[in-house]
Amino acid sequence: MAGWSSWLSRGAVAGIASAAAALAWVEGGGADAHGLVPRGDGPATVGDGGAKAGVDAYQVKLRLVDALGDAVIDTPSLAAARSYFQTHWRKLRGPWPHPGGAAAELVTTIALQTNRTGDARSADLHPGDSRPAEHPAERAPDTHPSEAASAEPAPASPAQEGADADGGTDDGGAKKPWVADVRVWNMNEGSFDQREAIYAPTPATIVFHVPVPEAARLRLSPGVAAPAPGTTIFDVSLVDAAGNEHALEEAHIAAGDDWRWLDVDVDLAPWAGQTVDLRLKTWTLADRRPPPPRPEGAEHAGPAARSREADAGSDRPAPPPVSLALWGNPVIVAKEPARVPYNVLWIVVDAMRPDISASLHDPEEDAEKLAAPHAPLDALLPVVPGLMPSIDRLAARGVHFTHAWSAASWTRPGTLAMLTGERSSEIGIDTSNWVQPADRIAHYYASDPPLLPRLLQKSGVTTAAFVNNFFMTGYANVGLDMGFERVTDHRYRTRDTALITYDAFTWLDAHASDRFFLFLNYNSPHGPYDPTKEMLARIPPPPAGPRDGQVRAYMAEAAKDDTAIGVVLDKLEALGLDRSTIIVVSADHGETLSAAHDASIVMGTDKVPMRFHHAVGNYEETTRIPIVMALPGLVDGGRAIRDRARSIDIAPTILALEGLEPDPRMSGRSLLPLIRGQSDAEPRAVVSEGRYSHALLWDKWRLIVHELPPHPHAAPDGGKAAAPEDELYDLTEDPGERHNVARMQPDVVAEMRARLTAALANVPAADAPKTAAQALRPVVHLRFAGAGAVHHVTGVVTAGDEKHPAVVAVEPSGVAREAFRIAGPKVDFAIATAPDAIVGFDLRIDPPAAPIAWTFYLDDAPWPAGATFAGPFGLPASAAKDGIATADARAEVFAPATAVVDPAHDLGVFVTRDRADKAGEATSEGPAADGEAAKEMQRVLEEWGYAHAPKK
């Protein structure tokens, strides 16, 4: 009884102790990167790096989409509007929030086509006074920043004769919308701004009962999904704790003006500390409703500058009074000490090889390749100093990996691997087919994959992506929503670089005071190549430059995007954000350029070329990528790191720098140990997934294993076609992969196949060093107390899961080693408590963040409810009562030391967990598969070289 009364007393003080713990957490700096970040001035450590840790920044406190299930919703026209909304196919039901009930229908992820009436930004492309003084656009004030920097005018096609640099056509001094040319690219698709939104067909009222933090602001973006019957009014008001109503904002979108979002930012500071009713209303003039009453002299009645021109013809016969109104990305942000110490700027250049940049060459390796018995020839690009000055400059102040590879040979799996820290196949997304079956897409969303933007959002980070990447738009048949709150996709042959840079430039201005993750995805080195004359002139003639015209064009296209990168990095520095931002430059895959790979592979009913493409090839040059990182005080010094690195290692590295643990499902590993000069016990297994192929790099060998497409060509003799034979290359003898030695080295092929099987399963190879247990460090401490009596305790502990197995070691504490039986990731035990001591064991887990589940028994009966305690204060466990499988559970048990336990009075198990060290070790509906969506997908794939038009 003494034990149970002690347990009750612990429960009684739980609230007091929780409050004390929370106070200690905040006051002691724990709210910033979970206690790893020191406050004030001091030596650079994780969470410092030259920037002040815990500095005030705007962070997301509440995403209204997540709170919609608790809101009061009035949408009387929802049923009538349903059929209209279905005509907008570039949408899907919000894949991540799950409000349930009627609210579920109002959550959507949707893209507006921002150039439907021409690109409005073309008339005013430069960002004005926010531009750095040395910005290249100063020399050409009528052009977009990156267009001026790269001397890239709008492409002059027959459909654009007379078009000026801004894309408008001069006709008597009047500006006309820039019109895309569908004959040369998928330009008719234009630009699409995809956002998470709340659907509010007019008239609608949604009321959120929410607390207002200190220094809070409301941010949202009104939009309309299709031409409306009249001007749509978006009205934001607030009812304070005393019942007084305050008009905050009103924005108008005129009839037919449905091509973009309006960004609204409202100050909520006057109501800080109150719990208020936040009202979002949508209505139209066609509703013939009077405007909501506004207090005399109200200062928050939206500025006229933002209001669109009202529909002057409101007296005309009204169409059906339904406007497909949307509240895009509605969030409440507050300025407070940052929960994570750094911003993230991640720049990806599609198909960019590392040898395009002089600084990313490894001179020693180049010399070895050129001296090899079978020289690489044009598989190795020549060093061209000054071709990529922006990346060279970043590498000179950060670190760069001279041996890095992508986990995939084409864009969708390559992007997924970067953002999730695991290969596409591990997530359940096939790498061979363009279109995924509906059940796989549903599983992808239901599994809540470990997407970096979503993981950072949990720490209040604002996320956005500006890209030319069809695979990142969730509504596309070949795409998936990758967790960003906003994705703006610019699909142009040449203007995409300018528009991505412009968006980044202006977005950084608007969010300079936020804690943010900004992802940019340029696309110029992706075929077809269309470089400017100025960029081509940077490529020296042979022998200093390549002879092949296509290779020269590829290099010039990469140089164009390097110039844009320089503009963005200059902007970051001008805003004073360079010392508090993790900067990453990488690629989703490489590009096959060598003549040795000028062949085709049968895919379905067509032959797909490998040279000047990727996807179907899976060679070194197809998958080798740059990884350049910079962060003052931590990732700096201009060092070249020769250890092998992978694209799946980038996300865990960013999380480690932020003081956050990687998701246990991530098979990638943090690169921080390598950055700090440590070396891996053995090289990281490098696996690259392609279309119907897998490749493994191990030691000096590269193995490519091909699979048979589902509908191959018939064999010449009329029989069934066989899959292409294995390819094996000795990269020491043959760095250009010109001589397949698979038939001459069957033993090596067999060994490499076994290694590939193990790597795909994320298990050690048979000959892996047997020192793994020695390398594991204590992670979880379990201590049992018997309240002064001897009790029989049995149980089973299991680490890892089916897809990501773990290695377990046990270190007894006060009990015999014979009390434990270990079988793979499973530990069975039977121990006895001591009257005057605590007993138990330490679990050592690899990987440290692997999920752990347990079942305990006390004297052969189920473990008593409430007898599991966690953390440094020994509080009743909630998230960790059955194991440690979630971020909440890991946070609950984290402690610098075990709890103070009285074995004479306490009864139960006490769980604490060491934090991973600073190295970081330690039902969604998609678009229909036919109709306009399928046609657009086919056009895009054909133009990008991923697919080919049916033979006539």
Side-chain angles (χ1 to χ4, degrees), residues 838-897:
I838 58 172
V839 298
F841 52 94
D842 295 337
L843 288 174
R844 305 171 180 231
I845 309 293
D846 184 27
I852 304 169
W854 55 61
T855 303
F856 300 145
Y857 298 90
L858 182 68
D859 296 329
D860 298 323
W863 196 255
T868 303
F869 306 96
F873 301 105
L875 302 179
S878 173
K881 60 185 177 64
D882 299 314
I884 308 172
T886 65
D888 288 342
R890 288 192 291 272
E892 188 173 70
V893 300
F894 165 60

Side-chain angles (χ1 to χ4, degrees), residues 89-90 111-119 121 178-182 185-194 259 467-470 473 475 487-493 495-496 499-500 503 936 939-940 944:
W89 70 263
R90 292 184 177 91
L112 303 184
Q113 185 173 357
T114 63
N115 75 333
R116 172 172 289 185
T117 57
D119 191 344
R121 288 169 295 190
W178 178 77
V179 179
D181 182 354
V182 301
W185 190 240
N186 56 318
M187 289 185 179
N188 60 314
E189 312 309 342
S191 297
F192 298 89
D193 195 344
Q194 172 185 300
W259 58 275
V467 306
N468 182 344
N469 188 337
F470 188 60
T473 49
Y475 57 82
V487 176
T488 303
D489 182 26
H490 296 293
R491 301 182 200 161
Y492 303 104
R493 186 180 179 118
R495 288 179 59 85
D496 54 324
L499 293 174
I500 291 168
D503 279 347
E936 175 176 308
R939 284 196 300 271
V940 173
W944 283 8

Side-chain angles (χ1 to χ4, degrees), residues 213-237:
E214 297 290 333
R217 305 191 71 85
L218 171 67
R219 294 178 182 169
L220 34 70
S221 301
V224 178
T231 295
T232 305
I233 291 85
F234 294 81
D235 194 290
V236 183
S237 62

Side-chain angles (χ1 to χ4, degrees), residues 470-703:
F470 188 60
F471 300 104
M472 288 182 67
T473 49
Y475 57 82
N477 288 84
V478 294
L480 294 166
D481 188 298
M482 297 193 184
F484 290 95
E485 295 159 279
R486 173 184 179 182
V487 176
T488 303
D489 182 26
H490 296 293
R491 301 182 200 161
Y492 303 104
R493 186 180 179 118
T494 58
R495 288 179 59 85
D496 54 324
T497 295
L499 293 174
I500 291 168
T501 306
Y502 175 84
D503 279 347
F505 209 81
T506 54
W507 192 90
L508 284 169
D509 269 330
H511 295 271
S513 296
D514 293 3
R515 187 59 83 231
F516 63 77
F517 173 22
L518 178 60
F519 186 85
L520 307 180
N521 197 157
Y522 292 106
N523 195 61
S524 297
H526 191 299
Y529 312 133
D530 191 15
T532 64
K533 292 181 179 179
E534 180 190 4
M535 292 297 150
L536 272 175
R538 293 189 183 185
I539 314 300
R547 296 181 181 278
D548 190 284
Q550 284 283 80
V551 177
R552 296 172 66 84
Y554 168 86
M555 297 178 72
E557 289 277 43
K560 182 184 90 172
D561 284 353
D562 178 85
T563 304
I565 290 172
V567 170
V568 176
L569 295 182
D570 286 347
K571 180 63 174 177
L572 198 72
E573 184 175 354
L575 292 171
L577 298 173
D578 53 316
R579 295 188 60 78
S580 58
T581 302
I582 301 166
I583 302 172
V584 180
V585 173
S586 65
D588 52 349
H589 51 76
E591 190 71 305
T592 309
L593 299 180
S594 66
H597 300 140
D598 193 4
S600 298
I601 286 186
V602 173
M603 287 288 169
T605 59
D606 205 356
K607 290 185 177 180
V608 181
M610 288 190 293
R611 194 183 187 199
F612 305 120
H613 292 280
H614 33 275
V616 296
N618 210 333
Y619 300 102
E620 278 277 282
E621 57 177 333
T622 320
T623 59
R624 198 155 174 174
I625 60 170
I627 298 179
V628 184
M629 306 183 72
L631 178 63
L634 279 176
V635 185
D636 58 11
R639 289 170 291 123
I641 299 173
R642 301 195 72 197
D643 300 79
R644 287 181 176 175
R646 306 162 300 181
S647 61
I648 56 174
D649 298 330
I650 301 175
T653 305
I654 291 172
L655 291 172
L657 286 167
E658 297 284 20
L660 303 172
E661 286 189 298
D663 188 285
R665 292 170 291 177
M666 291 179 170
S667 55
R669 305 203 310 262
S670 170
L671 296 169
L672 280 184
L674 304 183
I675 292 171
R676 291 191 173 117
Q678 305 170 26
S679 293
D680 288 326
E682 61 181 13
R684 304 177 187 217
V686 177
V687 175
S688 299
E689 300 178 322
R691 290 205 71 204
Y692 302 104
S693 72
H694 285 86
L696 173 69
L697 175 67
W698 185 263
D699 194 25
K700 67 174 183 176
W701 299 103
R702 185 173 186 86
L703 174 73

